[in-house]
Amino acid sequence: MNVPYIRFVAFIVFMFVAISGAAQNNQGRADTIDRKWWKEAVVYQVYPRSFKDNDGDGIGDLKGIISKLDYIKSLGVDVVWLNPIYSSPNDDNGYDVSDYRNIMKDFGTMDDFDVLLKGMHSRGIKLVMDLVVNHSSDEHEWFKQSRSSRKNPYREYYHWWNAEKGKPAYRYSLFDVNHDAWRYDSLTNAYYLHYFSHKQPDLNWENPKLRNEVYGIMKFWADKGIDGFRLDAFQFAAKDTTFPAFPKGFEKNFTQYYGVQGNLHGYLQEMNREVLSKYNVMSVAEGAGNTFEDGHNLVDADRNELNMAYAFEGVDIAKPEGYSVVHLKQVFTKWDSAFASKGWLSIFLANHDQARLVSRFGNDSPEFRAVSSKMLTTFLMTMRGTPYYYNGDELGMTNAGFSTIDDYRDVQTLNEYQRQKNIGADLPTYLKRIAFESRDNGRTPFQWNSTANAGFTTGTPWIKVNPNYKSVNAAAQEKDANSTLNYFRRIVKLRKDNPVLVYGKYTLLDAQNPDTYAYTRELNGRKLLVLLNFTSKTAPAQTGMNLGNATVLIGNYQKPSKNGTLMPYEAVVYEVK
């Protein structure tokens, strides 16, 4: 036998095993992880219309936000996502943009914006802005030109269907009274497409001139120094412009037919080349498509598209009749598993398009509001992914308790009410449902203190203040070390001080437990255990771990449980050996 050859082969095998073992041991090590500031950030969403009114007209504004920058800084967050502040006729609270390079008069001026951005940056806070380019306002100059003549150069900025061809195949509209996304316009005898309100015509992304217009808008704001873009409804931007008929009933799962269609990835790669790659900005898309493959194609770094995306499956779980904790665990575990080694996602349970976090996923009764709010915050801050947290949820703000349609301002809610009325539906049942789920629940004014209008405005607020503001407000919680506000600050600090909560491996425990959610996060030999009780009763979590020697890092009760049996809505984060 050739002994030197055998020794050489043995050496190669030894080295292969050693390298493989080292690679396995390094999984989850901080020095092998692709660290990015936007992965480690906590994003705080500010809804400008409802945050703070400076001039007494009842509408929040930029100067109001400027006056509260020290408060935002005190939260420990890294990024503010600001909902649209561009010029708009406000059919959909700013998501119908009439001028992408100017500020809505309700909110102030461009000088105010410059002061706001400088104030954020001086406090170490980054600013991400909404980019609303699936559609514009019908009052945008592009659309005015587009509808003026079939021969107008802006005609191809939107989707038109000439009426002599007959009515186009049905498309579902989310906001239209009749859910019809085609609207007839007599000026040129044609229909235009609008997936949302009829005052929000969809832009034609198949037109390169339109795309270049959008890239110019993005450069305008990036050159001002903003730190990122959140692409509103962008998974719907690409269309099959032959507009074939969809199967009857498709609207029950319209995302399957609307989401991530056509050449969307090509457009995003072009956007990345033209804009995103040239600035140190983060990018996030609303919607992650229909499959994990869709999601990965949006966010995998080697594809040069976006940094991260929202997956809606989790936020859609809560229903008026309740929800399954087992299902919640399955959904979040499934998405974590799919992106465990590649790509990055957002973690959220609330935003401006949802009712209040504690009212949907927790318990907003006086007895359990604070403790269940803290539990939900613990979940959001201990999962892998970038957490997005909606303003007011740090106070445990609740649904508004609106009882009549006159209380609502949201175009989606009002138009659906009219539709229900038109078809002779049970209106009291509809009112009961929207009291739980309407977006306006999350848009009531921020509750700063116990003075008139919760300290939001000296005028008449554009939408009613939640009547519980006298007991649920920031001023009162500042004085209470155990408040939801101060708990939020503590757990944000915990996340920032412990990379294991950002990058660590996630493992679900006790998967079929109907009441509690238990999981570990592991990195560099450290293991944290998170236990969450999603119910109003005492409930056990079977982890198979001895917690007698575990160290409690944070908990929402003054004396956290140490035996695995959790008090109502209890949340505990342990370090275990």
Side-chain angles (χ1 to χ4, degrees):
M1 296 180 67
N2 189 330
V3 175
Y5 175 77
I6 293 173
R7 287 175 177 170
F8 174 74
V9 171
F11 175 75
I12 294 298
V13 170
F14 170 79
M15 290 301 296
F16 176 79
V17 171
I19 292 170
S20 298
Q24 291 177 358
N25 290 334
N26 279 338
Q27 285 184 355
R29 288 185 57 85
D31 56 5
T32 65
I33 288 171
D34 181 25
R35 297 188 65 169
K36 300 290 185 184
W37 67 263
W38 42 266
K39 293 180 179 180
E40 300 176 16
V42 174
V43 180
Y44 182 72
Q45 182 184 355
V46 170
Y47 195 69
R49 195 172 186 83
S50 299
F51 196 63
K52 182 71 172 90
D53 173 26
N54 177 74
D55 59 11
D57 65 356
I59 298 169
D61 47 44
L62 298 183
K63 286 184 177 178
I65 300 172
I66 293 166
S67 73
K68 295 298 183 181
L69 286 179
D70 286 340
Y71 169 82
I72 296 173
K73 173 67 174 175
S74 78
L75 299 176
V77 300
D78 309 277
V79 177
V80 165
W81 157 25
L82 192 62
N83 289 96
I85 55 172
Y86 317 104
S87 297
S88 168
N90 257 330
D91 182 62
D92 185 25
N93 280 15
Y95 281 93
D96 48 318
V97 180
S98 56
D99 187 343
Y100 290 94
R101 286 181 169 88
N102 276 310
I103 304 296
M104 190 190 307
K105 291 180 180 178
D106 286 347
F107 293 151
T109 67
M110 190 62 78
D111 287 342
D112 295 334
F113 174 82
D114 292 339
V115 172
L116 173 64
L117 183 60
K118 183 178 180 180
M120 286 185 177
H121 285 171
S122 70
R123 292 169 174 81
I125 301 169
K126 297 181 184 295
L127 176 62
V128 168
M129 292 181 67
D130 248 303
L131 183 67
V132 189
V133 289
N134 171 73
H135 49 265
S136 76
S137 167
D138 65 345
E139 297 183 34
H140 194 293
E141 187 61 28
W142 294 342
F143 189 74
K144 291 179 182 179
Q145 293 290 326
S146 183
R147 71 182 290 257
S148 68
S149 165
R150 291 187 180 184
K151 296 181 180 180
N152 189 283
Y154 287 92
R155 187 69 169 184
E156 299 305 315
Y157 276 40
Y158 297 87
H159 297 283
W160 290 96
W161 182 277
N162 294 336
E164 63 266 22
K165 296 194 296 182
K167 190 168 184 182
Y170 174 67
R171 290 294 183 267
Y172 174 77
S173 167
L174 284 78
F175 293 180
D176 188 77
V177 171
N178 298 313
H179 291 311
D180 186 351
W182 289 106
R183 187 172 182 88
Y184 178 70
D185 188 68
S186 61
L187 195 61
T188 58
N189 188 34
Y191 298 89
Y192 68 85
L193 185 71
H194 60 94
Y195 278 177
F196 296 90
S197 160
H198 73 267
K199 288 185 67 62
Q200 294 169 291
D202 281 39
L203 291 164
N204 180 11
W205 271 79
E206 284 62 46
N207 182 354
K209 291 182 179 179
L210 180 278
R211 299 200 301 274
N212 285 332
E213 293 266 20
V214 171
Y215 305 151
I217 291 165
M218 295 175 73
K219 291 174 184 176
F220 171 83
W221 291 102
D223 287 338
K224 275 188 164 290
I226 73 164
D227 305 287
F229 297 96
R230 178 254 186 195
L231 280 65
D232 178 70
F234 198 77
Q235 66 170 337
F236 298 155
K239 279 97 170 169
D240 179 346
T241 55
T242 66
F243 295 107
F246 289 157
K248 187 176 181 180
F250 82 91
E251 63 272 15
K252 295 176 183 176
N253 188 19
F254 64 88
T255 302
Q256 180 180 341
Y257 298 87
Y258 284 7
V260 190
Q261 301 296 311
N263 193 30
L264 187 77
H265 294 296
Y267 302 151
L268 284 171
Q269 288 165 4
E270 181 182 74
M271 179 189 291
N272 191 293
R273 287 195 307 272
E274 295 296 323
V275 185
L276 299 176
S277 64
K278 297 179 179 180
Y279 300 88
N280 184 25
V281 292
M282 66 171 270
S283 55
V284 55
E286 182 185 24
N290 298 296
T291 65
F292 291 139
E293 182 181 6
D294 282 345
H296 273 291
N297 287 343
L298 288 169
V299 303
D300 284 357
D302 54 6
R303 290 182 56 84
N304 297 316
E305 295 187 25
L306 301 173
N307 296 144
M308 64 184 112
Y310 292 151
F312 285 111
E313 193 174 359
V315 77
D316 288 340
I317 288 172
K319 304 297 181 186
E321 60 273 16
Y323 65 94
S324 161
V325 177
V326 171
H327 182 214
L328 180 84
K329 292 188 285 189
Q330 290 171 342
V331 167
F332 278 93
T333 301
K334 176 178 65 175
W335 280 92
D336 181 89
S337 174
F339 289 81
S341 59
K342 194 175 186 181
W344 200 255
L345 288 175
S346 313
I347 296 293
F348 75 109
L349 284 175
N351 58 32
H352 67 289
D353 280 334
Q354 310 292 334
R356 279 292 172 185
L357 173 67
V358 72
S359 296
R360 297 181 73 231
F361 287 93
N363 186 326
D364 62 10
S365 69
E367 182 180 4
F368 294 120
R369 180 194 61 81
V371 69
S372 68
S373 175
K374 294 174 187 177
M375 182 274 292
L376 293 166
T377 297
T378 307
F379 169 67
L380 292 167
M381 295 298 158
T382 57
M383 288 291 285
R384 180 166 48 190
T386 300
Y388 284 66
Y389 201 86
Y390 187 61
N391 63 198
D393 284 342
E394 74 273 22
L395 307 180
M397 283 180 61
T398 68
N399 279 358
F402 291 157
S403 57
T404 73
I405 195 62
D406 294 334
D407 291 330
Y408 293 91
R409 300 290 179 267
D410 175 32
V411 61
Q412 180 182 27
T413 299
L414 296 175
N415 283 355
E416 184 59 26
Y417 179 85
Q418 186 60 48
R419 177 178 177 274
Q420 296 291 318
K421 188 176 181 180
N422 291 346
I423 65 177
D426 183 347
L427 294 180
T429 297
Y430 176 72
L431 286 171
K432 184 177 180 181
R433 178 162 64 86
I434 62 174
F436 175 81
E437 67 183 26
S438 173
R439 305 189 298 176
D440 275 345
N441 284 298
R443 300 176 177 185
T444 58
F446 194 98
Q447 293 163 211
W448 291 106
N449 55 48
S450 61
T451 64
N453 297 321
F456 164 70
T457 182
T458 57
T460 301
W462 72 276
I463 190 171
K464 286 183 179 178
V465 176
N466 192 316
N468 67 8
Y469 75 89
K470 291 187 177 180
S471 58
V472 181
N473 63 72
Q477 293 192 23
E478 290 281 6
K479 303 171 185 175
D480 179 3
N482 294 315
S483 67
T484 58
L485 172 59
N486 283 313
Y487 184 86
F488 176 79
R489 289 168 170 151
R490 289 196 297 273
I491 199 160
V492 167
K493 186 176 188 303
L494 182 73
R495 182 181 179 88
K496 294 176 78 169
D497 289 347
N498 291 274
V500 61
L501 291 174
V502 179
Y503 297 108
K505 176 184 176 183
Y506 161 95
T507 304
L508 175 68
L509 307 173
D510 202 10
Q512 297 306 311
N513 190 315
D515 303 319
T516 61
Y517 194 162
Y519 50 93
T520 57
R521 303 295 309 279
E522 296 177 73
L523 181 72
N524 287 354
R526 292 187 67 202
K527 179 186 284 190
L528 305 189
L529 170 67
V530 182
L531 299 184
L532 309 167
N533 183 357
F534 275 73
T535 72
S536 59
K537 62 185 181 182
T538 301
Q542 303 299 329
T543 65
M545 299 181 188
N546 180 3
L547 300 180
N549 295 322
T551 302
V552 174
L553 300 183
I554 197 168
N556 63 348
Y557 278 81
Q558 289 189 329
K559 292 185 177 181
S561 301
K562 293 276 288 194
N563 60 1
T565 298
L566 303 174
M567 293 175 279
Y569 296 107
E570 184 172 10
V572 196
V573 180
Y574 305 92
E575 181 155 12
V576 294
K577 304 301 181 184

